[in-house]
Amino acid sequence: MRAYGTISELSRSLRLRKAYRVSDPALGLDAAKLKLVIVSDAAPPQVNGVVRTLGELKRNLELMGHEVISITPDRFPTIPMPSYPEIRLALFPARRLARLIEEANPNAIHIATEGPLGLAARNYCVKRGLPFSTSFHTRFGEYLYARTGFPLSWSYAFLRWFHAKATSVMVATPSLQAELEARGFGKPVIWSRGVDTELFRPRPKLAGEHYLDLPRPVYLYVGRVAVEKNIEAFLDLDLPGSKMVVGDGPRLDVLRKHHPEVHFAGTLFGEELAKAYAAADCFVFPSKTDTFGLVLIEALASGTPVAAYPVQGPLDVIGDAPVGVLDKDLAAACRKALGIAPADCRAFAMNFSWEACTRQFLSNLALAEVADTAALMDEAQKAVCD
């Protein structure tokens, strides 16, 4: 089996370094216990799909015997993000981040976001000639444009530059893969998503009167309450029954004032979140900018059908499967979705596994093949003597 190099070994002998994708069958992945650094500007207490995905990834990697070192904003001085104070941005993280990576001495570095920490990690790796992988979780350009009017072309120029040096750029869906390839991001690789089917499951006892006494049918939204999520398109619909919103964000106070008829539950976790999914009659996904939509499969695993626009994310996750309705008329999609059998939704969601997602992530990592440590030390000693 080839030897996996650590950062310090690579730094001592760059001449011997060669980057490999783990999918090379000769690497004997299952026999290797890896130490991985994952750098992310998105981390708890933020509540979003990126944070949940990275949390499940870490949990499953550790169940497989790998060691994960997370480098996140809580390890740095931070300031609140303008217009979105729930998100904290690390201040001048380069030196401390370099020290954390060197102390971890990992076999691989994955950069999950393009914020201050991601940028510092990218620059650290490029400067030292170290292989790294990245992932494209969020439509950063579209979100920035929605909030500030910042030109999309400028944002994508930055994003192309950011990801250009990565050994692999991971994306959640084939349509996003094709889009980024067309935008000049090279050849991104697929890293799909999973769902906790034990937590998110049908709960027949909740099928009668709603546990919050909301009139049925109950239409549910779960996610950030932010302008880019297009929540008003859902809240403005003329539908019978009730609407429920789970989540927090910069638009929450405004929407509460404009829609007093809507039940805003705030942020829910664990059993309370799972209960909200299972008690709903329809899950409504109004976003037109999400790259995947983890909440879609959480709802389906709970036996709740989906109503959404026919856009990237829902098209990739649901497509023409009879577990949701994708329609440019969102109200029509909501009404039609009420006729979908919960058992069909559950069966569809069982195809999404966090274990398979984690193995896919591992297959996309940039590891390094090096000579054994003794050989590296001999090489370093000869260099010193010469």
Side-chain angles (χ1 to χ4, degrees):
M1 186 182 74
R2 291 189 176 104
Y4 296 106
T6 61
I7 293 302
S8 62
E9 288 170 341
L10 298 184
S11 297
R12 284 198 299 268
S13 186
L14 286 176
R15 184 177 65 81
L16 297 176
R17 181 176 58 76
K18 185 177 182 181
Y20 283 85
R21 287 273 295 285
V22 185
S23 51
D24 180 347
L27 287 173
L29 175 61
D30 289 336
K33 300 306 179 187
L34 305 175
K35 183 185 285 189
L36 311 174
V37 159
I38 298 178
V39 182
S40 175
D41 296 273
Q46 295 177 42
V47 181
N48 54 52
V50 178
V51 173
R52 289 209 297 281
T53 295
L54 294 178
E56 285 293 334
L57 174 67
K58 183 176 188 293
R59 185 175 71 86
N60 279 268
L61 285 169
E62 289 173 344
L63 286 174
M64 294 176 183
H66 304 299
E67 183 179 351
V68 180
I69 297 92
S70 299
I71 299 182
T72 49
D74 59 300
R75 307 179 78 164
F76 300 83
T78 61
I79 58 171
M81 179 177 172
S83 82
Y84 210 146
E86 294 87 353
I87 295 178
R88 308 289 302 186
L89 301 177
L91 277 175
F92 308 110
R95 288 186 179 180
R96 177 162 174 74
L97 179 137
R99 187 165 65 251
L100 289 171
I101 292 176
E102 287 160 6
E103 288 173 356
N105 194 24
N107 302 103
I109 298 171
H110 178 72
I111 303 172
T113 56
E114 300 97 346
L117 289 180
L119 185 60
R122 177 206 178 275
N123 292 342
Y124 172 89
C125 292
V126 171
K127 183 178 179 180
R128 290 160 178 78
L130 301 174
F132 65 97
S133 58
T134 61
S135 46
F136 191 102
H137 288 277
T138 304
R139 289 190 172 278
F140 171 79
E142 282 80 356
Y143 290 2
L144 191 58
Y145 177 78
R147 291 173 179 278
T148 67
F150 192 83
L152 274 176
S153 59
W154 295 5
S155 295
Y156 274 100
F158 165 76
L159 291 170
R160 277 192 298 273
W161 170 84
F162 183 95
H163 292 280
K165 297 290 186 179
T167 300
S168 61
V169 181
M170 305 186 202
V171 297
T173 65
S175 66
L176 181 59
Q177 181 186 42
E179 179 189 338
L180 292 186
E181 189 169 345
R183 286 185 180 274
F185 283 71
K187 294 189 177 297
V189 297
I190 295 294
W191 171 34
S192 190
R193 300 292 182 267
V195 63
D196 183 345
T197 54
E198 293 184 8
L199 175 61
F200 299 107
R201 65 184 190 276
R203 299 170 187 241
K205 292 182 179 179
L206 298 175
E209 292 186 8
H210 193 271
Y211 69 101
L212 294 176
D213 294 325
L214 299 177
R216 289 193 181 277
V218 175
Y219 301 91
L220 174 69
Y221 166 84
V222 176
R224 291 200 308 276
V225 184
V227 63
E228 65 270 11
K229 296 299 183 179
N230 197 32
I231 303 172
E232 283 94 334
F234 162 47
L235 300 185
D236 289 340
L237 296 178
D238 183 11
L239 295 169
S242 308
K243 300 185 182 91
M244 180 173 173
V245 171
V246 173
D248 199 353
R251 293 282 293 171
L252 182 59
D253 290 341
V254 171
L255 294 181
R256 272 182 169 150
K257 290 178 182 177
H258 289 177
H259 295 277
E261 77 284 1
V262 174
H263 180 76
F264 291 90
T267 303
L268 301 179
F269 300 94
E271 284 292 325
E272 287 301 311
L273 176 58
K275 190 176 178 181
Y277 277 124
D281 298 291
C282 174
F283 181 77
V284 185
F285 189 79
S287 174
K288 295 182 178 181
T289 59
D290 276 56
T291 58
F292 186 85
L294 184 61
V295 290
L296 295 171
I297 52 176
E298 290 176 347
L300 293 171
S302 305
T304 304
V306 170
Y309 290 109
V311 295
Q312 189 178 97
L315 280 172
D316 286 291
V317 175
I318 296 172
D320 58 1
V323 297
V325 180
L326 310 184
D327 197 314
K328 293 179 181 179
D329 184 339
L330 191 58
C334 290
R335 288 189 289 267
K336 292 176 186 175
L338 295 175
I340 294 173
D344 292 342
C345 300
R346 174 68 176 180
F348 180 84
M350 294 303 289
N351 295 312
F352 293 86
S353 157
W354 277 118
E355 181 182 351
C357 164
T358 302
R359 291 193 177 279
Q360 195 173 39
F361 171 84
L362 284 169
S363 75
N364 293 331
L365 282 178
L367 297 181
E369 182 196 23
V370 297
D372 60 67
T373 305
L376 286 171
M377 294 302 291
D378 288 345
E379 186 79 15
Q381 185 64 36
K382 289 177 182 177
V384 171
C385 292
D386 291 343

